[in-house]
Amino acid sequence: MKSCGIIVEYNPFHNGHHYHAKMAREMSGAEVVIAVMSGNFLQRGEPAIIDKWTRAEEALNHGVDLVIELPFAYAVQSADYFAAGGVKLLQALQCDALCFGTDNHAEMDYKLFGEFVNKNQTKIDEAYQQIKNNGLSYPQQMTEVFRKLYPKNGLDFSSPNHILGLSYAKENATYEKPMMLYPLKREQAGYHDTTIYQNFASATAIRKAVFSDELDQIRQVLPTQVAIDLVNSATVSWETYWPLLKYKLISSSIIELKAIYQMKEGIEYRLQEAAKTSDSFQAFMEKAKTKRYTWTRLQRLATYSLNNVTQQEIENSWNHSFIQVLGFTEKGQRYLREKKKDLALPLITKVSKNLNSELAVDIRSNQVYQLGDHRILEQSFGRFPIRIS
Amino acid sequence: MKSCGIIVEYNPFHNGHHYHAKMAREMSGAEVVIAVMSGNFLQRGEPAIIDKWTRAEEALNHGVDLVIELPFAYAVQSADYFAAGGVKLLQALQCDALCFGTDNHAEMDYKLFGEFVNKNQTKIDEAYQQIKNNGLSYPQQMTEVFRKLYPKNGLDFSSPNHILGLSYAKENATYEKPMMLYPLKREQAGYHDTTIYQNFASATAIRKAVFSDELDQIRQVLPTQVAIDLVNSATVSWETYWPLLKYKLISSSIIELKAIYQMKEGIEYRLQEAAKTSDSFQAFMEKAKTKRYTWTRLQRLATYSLNNVTQQEIENSWNHSFIQVLGFTEKGQRYLREKKKDLALPLITKVSKNLNSELAVDIRSNQVYQLGDHRILEQSFGRFPIRIS
């Protein structure tokens, strides 16, 4: 069975995601669409608005055949790591193609770009070393590096989806059998848009509507099931976890904070001080913000802190990857059966306690996520893949 | 100026405490009554129902002249350590006498008992070693030890106030100039009583009434100011901090939990497991409870965990004791001035950031306590002693 992968977050699932799954199938001619989806904490360092099992079920009802969890150690990361995890899992699943959204670069040859980067990594690193202290942001620096080395494409590293696309392409080119790449032009709603269009809206706009109790204004951009879930299920945000993060930052010693993944350069002092005097996550972020740290980087640090994650645990997770199945349709299940013997990573269809060590970060982050609302069910143990017939 | 000390918790302050302060003055003939009071976490491993500054003010309005804070490292401890801290501070303050409540042993010669223990500590230790594995509780074992070695007094180690009295006596006898001891028979309400009498009630009964919104039934056992404070100020209990403790136990690795003061013998596994499946502190305690661990010992472990306290930090606090003043009357202030040059420990009338290391446990526990309610004011920095004229 021919398959096409998509790497997603679904925060929450909306019509644009439905369209993406549909187009992935159409463009690639694949029989099976595989979504590698972030779990309960997301790339930009946020808790998912709805838990991963609910989001997986929504996806399975709207064009996806198989949902695999992207582990925390890859999901809550900058584009390169996020992409590395997603591509690793799709490759392990013997996936034939990858379809990803791109903002204004659907015409670009991503494959060529990926091959170029793989051949010229030393040159790229050298060029980066020369300008890395020029005071610009990392995206701006990367734009500059590639303007010099790869002039034929006007690469722009400030568009989040495009950056991810480039990262997928780079990563994919490192494999023996790269997947076919299908960039998909986004229709209407850009990543950061907060306006709601007729039938599409960005996830950002939808979350905003949910938390300001204006769900009625966005029903038309959501599948019916999702609209119902957003009312009936627990919806959480960073503010939900703020009392716990505040407690964590206040009750930890500086030495303990220093042990948190990515906590360096003295930022631990700044976070602790900001926590003491803030009454909301928003206020905390505004106080902690510096030129040196982007909002997203700080949010990731907050997520690592909340989940008490260390460098060693992240590396341990990288070294012990699994294909954790959140759900499948009949077709997705058939695909798994067909490929079972050729999978490059061990398959998990039920988390058992003897994976406590390998899955430490994922299990812990699931438990912390569950503290956000008493209606959130157990996220790890005793859960079987969702099966949609 | 002649002074009489009392060692107290005031959880909350009630008529019985008012009577205690009054009798301390009368029995000792002292001009100044000094209360050494637990801060925001108490001997039995609980958060104080009202913050320490409010409790200090209530005491100063009802017979106490000077309120000194008993540091966390002494306060949240079994009787011997609690007594050691209280007596140490009173001795450092050149206190002449000590008046303490006793349940049914007001006629006992505590001084003689203290001297006996000091002379015979080796014998006592030996006798204890012989029976320490007999399966009885520590209070029962101590009763047995003293029944053999000190037969003239029918000592009973199961009454909390009496145990404290014995501990004060032992500790006091180790000093060059022991304080005069004034045991005070409790009127009517015993420590564990939950019934409310005409004008006296146990603190336990009062807390119960507060948290079941039955304050009207206990107004007659409280000074008016306290009754008002219990309505207008933030009142907290273990349930208030349960979400934070649950998060702490769930988000910490076993290695981190093992580093908590007094966490040993594998109890960390038990506490973590109990936390995962409990929705209240009460449920958690009932699940965690074993024959080996008394309720109080478990509550102290919970308090150490909540405040992330290590063995090293406790020892550091023991080695750096201060006389931290929470408040005084005019007379109390005059007493401090008079003794200023002879104080055996450094005096703190304002916590400054350069004491961050010595006072780490106290500052942190104050910050954690403050998380219980947004109405709780900053507890350490920028606070001056309360002055009642």
Side-chain angles (χ1 to χ4, degrees):
Chain A
M1 290 164 100
K2 195 177 169 190
S3 59
C4 181
I6 55 183
I7 304 173
V8 299
E9 301 220 288
Y10 297 155
N11 189 38
F13 191 92
H14 57 61
N15 288 351
H17 298 128
H18 193 178
Y19 174 78
H20 179 203
K22 193 169 147 262
M23 291 305 288
R25 197 183 303 271
E26 271 185 39
M27 291 165 80
S28 68
E31 205 177 338
V32 177
V33 173
I34 305 174
V36 173
M37 184 185 81
S38 301
N40 288 321
F41 290 91
L42 308 177
Q43 206 236 328
R44 285 158 54 81
E46 290 166 314
I49 188 169
I50 290 193
D51 81 274
K52 60 183 184 181
W53 297 97
T54 308
R55 278 149 55 227
E57 184 171 353
E58 291 165 355
L60 293 168
N61 280 319
H62 298 91
V64 173
D65 296 302
L66 179 56
V67 182
I68 303 297
E69 179 168 349
L70 183 64
F72 183 103
Y74 287 113
V76 187
Q77 293 282 8
S78 59
D80 281 350
Y81 289 89
F82 182 87
V87 170
K88 182 182 188 181
L89 286 171
L90 291 175
Q91 283 280 349
L93 280 156
Q94 311 267 314
C95 197
D96 302 298
L98 171 61
C99 175
F100 52 91
T102 175
D103 297 325
N104 296 301
H105 299 77
E107 65 299 327
M108 165 174 169
D109 191 335
Y110 279 91
K111 184 163 180 280
L112 204 68
F113 171 80
E115 288 162 357
F116 172 83
V117 173
N118 262 313
K119 277 188 203 127
N120 298 281
Q121 193 59 58
T122 323
K123 267 193 207 164
I124 295 167
D125 291 346
E126 279 168 13
Y128 173 67
Q129 285 303 319
Q130 279 174 23
I131 60 160
K132 76 168 181 181
N133 294 319
N134 70 358
L136 295 179
S137 70
Y138 183 73
Q140 289 169 324
Q141 290 171 333
M142 277 295 115
T143 305
E144 210 172 304
V145 164
F146 281 94
R147 202 168 286 153
K148 273 187 214 156
L149 298 179
Y150 198 65
K152 62 181 146 180
N153 282 275
L155 292 178
D156 172 7
F157 285 80
S158 66
S159 149
N161 278 295
H162 181 50
I163 294 174
L164 278 171
L166 297 174
S167 297
Y168 297 146
K170 281 195 293 184
E171 188 64 22
N172 186 46
T174 67
Y175 284 85
E176 208 180 325
K177 289 186 193 167
M179 298 177 276
M180 286 287 289
L181 298 182
Y182 295 97
L184 173 65
K185 194 169 178 330
R186 283 206 154 202
E187 296 296 329
Q188 296 166 319
Y191 190 83
H192 289 306
D193 282 354
T194 52
T195 331
I196 291 155
Y197 293 84
Q198 194 56 37
N199 296 308
F200 291 96
S202 74
T204 310
I206 298 168
R207 291 197 301 277
K208 206 182 147 197
V210 170
F211 292 117
S212 52
D213 273 328
E214 291 171 343
L215 198 67
D216 276 338
Q217 295 188 24
I218 51 159
R219 279 187 198 283
Q220 74 280 10
V221 307
L222 299 171
T224 311
Q225 182 195 356
V226 177
I228 291 171
D229 287 344
L230 286 172
V231 172
N232 293 345
S233 303
T235 52
V236 298
S237 73
W238 249 124
E239 296 302 345
T240 313
Y241 298 94
W242 168 241
L244 302 184
L245 177 63
K246 179 171 183 171
Y247 164 73
K248 170 69 182 176
L249 293 173
I250 283 177
S251 66
S252 298
S253 67
I254 284 295
I255 292 169
E256 288 170 321
L257 290 184
K258 266 199 223 305
I260 298 286
Y261 181 58
Q262 299 288 16
M263 194 76 83
K264 44 196 173 193
E265 300 160 354
I267 187 77
E268 61 275 12
Y269 292 94
R270 196 174 170 86
L271 296 189
Q272 192 172 66
E273 272 312 301
K276 281 178 191 169
T277 52
S278 300
D279 283 330
S280 69
F281 183 72
Q282 181 70 22
F284 162 73
M285 286 291 289
E286 281 162 13
K287 260 178 209 151
K289 184 95 190 54
T290 67
K291 231 181 164 178
R292 195 184 182 94
Y293 283 81
T294 62
W295 189 276
T296 301
R297 197 171 160 202
L298 272 182
Q299 277 202 156
R300 281 193 210 114
L301 263 179
T303 299
Y304 303 143
S305 301
L306 178 71
N307 291 296
N308 196 28
V309 173
T310 64
Q311 170 86 25
Q312 202 194 344
E313 288 175 327
I314 291 286
E315 285 173 8
N316 187 41
S317 176
W318 288 340
N319 295 332
H320 295 89
S321 291
F322 298 90
I323 299 171
Q324 196 189 332
V325 183
L326 294 178
F328 34 56
T329 59
E330 225 178 296
K331 218 188 277 173
Q333 194 171 18
R334 252 194 294 136
Y335 180 85
L336 269 185
R337 263 194 224 118
E338 186 186 300
K339 302 285 184 184
K340 210 167 183 178
K341 287 180 186 159
D342 305 316
L343 299 177
L345 292 171
L347 190 73
I348 299 181
T349 50
K350 191 185 165 217
V351 174
S352 77
K353 301 241 170 187
N354 52 30
L355 291 172
N356 263 338
S357 159
E358 289 88 340
L359 292 178
V361 172
D362 295 285
I363 292 170
R364 191 189 308 137
S365 66
N366 281 333
Q367 280 164 344
V368 169
Y369 183 81
Q370 214 192 335
L371 297 177
D373 194 298
H374 68 277
R375 290 169 297 173
I376 301 175
L377 301 176
E378 163 68 37
Q379 295 288 299
S380 304
F381 303 112
R383 296 290 297 252
F384 292 95
I386 288 160
R387 193 173 180 287
I388 303 286
S389 52
Chain B
M1 289 165 99
K2 195 178 166 188
S3 60
C4 181
I6 55 183
I7 303 173
V8 299
E9 301 220 291
Y10 298 156
N11 188 39
F13 191 92
H14 58 60
N15 289 350
H17 297 128
H18 193 179
Y19 173 78
H20 179 202
K22 193 168 148 262
M23 291 305 289
R25 197 183 303 271
E26 271 184 38
M27 290 165 79
S28 67
E31 206 177 334
V32 177
V33 173
I34 305 173
V36 173
M37 184 185 82
S38 301
N40 287 323
F41 290 92
L42 307 177
Q43 207 236 328
R44 286 158 53 82
E46 291 167 312
I49 188 169
I50 290 194
D51 82 273
K52 61 183 183 179
W53 297 97
T54 308
R55 278 147 56 226
E57 183 171 355
E58 292 164 353
L60 293 167
N61 279 319
H62 297 92
V64 173
D65 296 302
L66 180 57
V67 182
I68 303 297
E69 180 168 347
L70 183 63
F72 183 102
Y74 287 114
V76 187
Q77 293 281 9
S78 59
D80 281 350
Y81 288 89
F82 182 87
V87 170
K88 182 182 188 179
L89 286 171
L90 291 174
Q91 283 279 349
L93 282 155
Q94 311 264 316
C95 197
D96 302 300
L98 171 62
C99 175
F100 51 92
T102 176
D103 297 325
N104 296 302
H105 300 77
E107 63 301 324
M108 164 173 172
D109 191 335
Y110 280 91
K111 184 163 179 284
L112 205 67
F113 170 81
E115 288 162 356
F116 171 83
V117 172
N118 262 312
K119 276 187 203 126
N120 299 281
Q121 193 59 57
T122 323
K123 266 193 209 164
I124 296 167
D125 291 345
E126 280 167 11
Y128 174 68
Q129 285 304 319
Q130 281 174 22
I131 59 160
K132 77 169 180 178
N133 294 319
N134 69 359
L136 295 179
S137 70
Y138 183 74
Q140 289 169 323
Q141 291 171 330
M142 277 294 116
T143 306
E144 210 173 304
V145 165
F146 281 96
R147 202 168 284 151
K148 274 186 213 155
L149 299 178
Y150 197 64
K152 62 182 148 182
N153 281 276
L155 292 179
D156 171 9
F157 284 81
S158 65
S159 148
N161 278 293
H162 181 49
I163 294 174
L164 278 172
L166 297 175
S167 298
Y168 298 146
K170 282 194 293 184
E171 188 64 23
N172 187 47
T174 67
Y175 284 85
E176 207 180 325
K177 286 185 192 168
M179 298 178 275
M180 287 286 290
L181 298 181
Y182 294 99
L184 173 66
K185 193 169 179 324
R186 281 205 155 204
E187 296 295 329
Q188 296 164 322
Y191 189 84
H192 289 306
D193 281 355
T194 52
T195 331
I196 290 155
Y197 295 82
Q198 194 57 37
N199 296 306
F200 290 96
S202 75
T204 309
I206 297 167
R207 291 197 300 278
K208 206 182 146 197
V210 170
F211 291 116
S212 51
D213 273 328
E214 292 171 343
L215 198 67
D216 277 338
Q217 294 187 24
I218 51 158
R219 280 187 198 282
Q220 75 279 10
V221 306
L222 300 170
T224 311
Q225 182 195 357
V226 177
I228 292 171
D229 287 344
L230 286 173
V231 172
N232 293 344
S233 303
T235 53
V236 298
S237 74
W238 249 125
E239 296 302 344
T240 314
Y241 298 94
W242 169 241
L244 302 184
L245 177 64
K246 180 171 182 170
Y247 163 73
K248 169 71 183 176
L249 293 173
I250 282 177
S251 66
S252 299
S253 67
I254 284 295
I255 292 169
E256 288 171 320
L257 290 183
K258 267 199 222 305
I260 298 287
Y261 181 58
Q262 299 288 15
M263 195 75 82
K264 45 195 172 192
E265 301 161 355
I267 187 78
E268 60 276 12
Y269 292 94
R270 195 174 170 86
L271 296 189
Q272 194 172 63
E273 271 313 300
K276 281 177 191 170
T277 52
S278 300
D279 283 330
S280 68
F281 183 72
Q282 182 70 24
F284 162 73
M285 287 290 290
E286 279 161 15
K287 259 177 210 151
K289 183 98 189 53
T290 66
K291 230 180 165 179
R292 196 183 181 93
Y293 284 80
T294 63
W295 189 276
T296 302
R297 198 171 157 202
L298 273 181
Q299 278 202 156
R300 280 193 209 113
L301 262 179
T303 300
Y304 303 144
S305 301
L306 178 71
N307 291 295
N308 196 25
V309 172
T310 64
Q311 171 86 26
Q312 202 192 346
E313 288 176 325
I314 291 286
E315 285 173 10
N316 187 41
S317 176
W318 287 340
N319 295 331
H320 295 89
S321 291
F322 297 91
I323 298 170
Q324 196 189 334
V325 183
L326 294 178
F328 33 56
T329 59
E330 225 179 298
K331 219 189 275 175
Q333 194 170 20
R334 252 195 291 133
Y335 179 85
L336 270 185
R337 263 195 223 116
E338 187 187 299
K339 302 285 185 183
K340 209 167 185 177
K341 287 178 189 162
D342 305 316
L343 298 177
L345 292 170
L347 190 74
I348 298 180
T349 50
K350 192 185 165 220
V351 174
S352 77
K353 301 240 170 186
N354 52 29
L355 291 173
N356 263 340
S357 160
E358 289 89 338
L359 291 178
V361 172
D362 295 286
I363 292 170
R364 190 188 310 138
S365 65
N366 281 333
Q367 279 164 345
V368 169
Y369 184 81
Q370 214 192 333
L371 297 177
D373 194 297
H374 67 277
R375 290 169 296 173
I376 301 175
L377 301 176
E378 163 69 37
Q379 295 288 299
S380 304
F381 302 112
R383 296 291 298 251
F384 291 97
I386 289 159
R387 193 173 180 286
I388 303 285
S389 53

